[in-house]
Amino acid sequence: MKRLDFFKEMGGGFFQTVKSVYEPFIQGDLEKIESAADRALGLTWVPVMNETEMTSNFEMKFFQGKAIIFVRHETNMQAWNGICPVCSQIITVSTLYSSGKCLNCQKEFNFKTHTGELPLTPLPLKKRDRIYQVGFMKGDFHA
């Protein structure tokens, strides 16, 4: 082995060793920063369903009085508020057209194209340990 190749190999091995030693510390710090940001924003993460629990690509689920519409596009999962922001009625969903409609206001929203006159708001969603968690603002949800 040439001397230059030896030093390249030693440098790469040293970098991998340092990375493997410090990675758990950095990961812990990132989790602490994320938790502090959530507290500052008033965001509470509530576990809502297991990764394998969703049977179709579009469905509505209820969690302690909150209606949440879950939409899956291949590997991307989204959560939407299932309550009409105009009149506070529950949105009626159509799985055939992937749309939601407020029967009181007669306004509709298409979840595939993200178009429509119904101004629905997406909810923060994350997956941790194969469980989906929805973020609710302070006062929106009492766990």
Side-chain angles (χ1 to χ4, degrees), residues 30-101:
L30 289 175
E31 289 176 5
K32 288 177 188 176
I33 291 171
E34 182 181 340
S35 175
D38 290 344
R39 272 186 264 131
L41 293 172
L43 201 60
T44 303
W45 292 99
V46 178
V48 290
M49 74 174 159
N50 194 346
E51 181 180 52
T52 59
E53 212 173 301
M54 192 159 171
T55 57
S56 69
N57 289 335
F58 182 74
E59 59 186 63
M60 178 182 276
K61 292 187 178 267
F62 293 90
F63 299 97
Q64 295 186 6
K66 292 287 184 184
I68 303 172
I69 300 169
F70 290 98
V71 182
R72 180 174 43 209
H73 298 284
E74 296 174 12
T75 59
N76 183 23
M77 178 75 98
Q78 296 175 331
W80 296 79
N81 190 0
I83 303 295
C84 176
V86 178
C87 66
S88 300
Q89 296 295 317
I90 294 177
I91 303 296
T92 303
V93 295
S94 169
T95 56
L96 180 63
Y97 300 110
S98 295
S99 65
K101 184 174 184 175

Side-chain angles (χ1 to χ4, degrees), residues 1 7 19 21 27 35 37 49 60 65 68-69 73 81 90 92 100 106 112-113 131 139-140:
M1 180 181 268
F7 285 124
K19 180 183 170 192
V21 168
Q27 184 67 26
S35 175
M49 74 174 159
M60 178 182 276
I68 303 172
I69 300 169
H73 298 284
N81 190 0
I90 294 177
T92 303
Q106 296 299 314
K112 281 188 176 179
T113 61
I131 295 176
D140 284 348

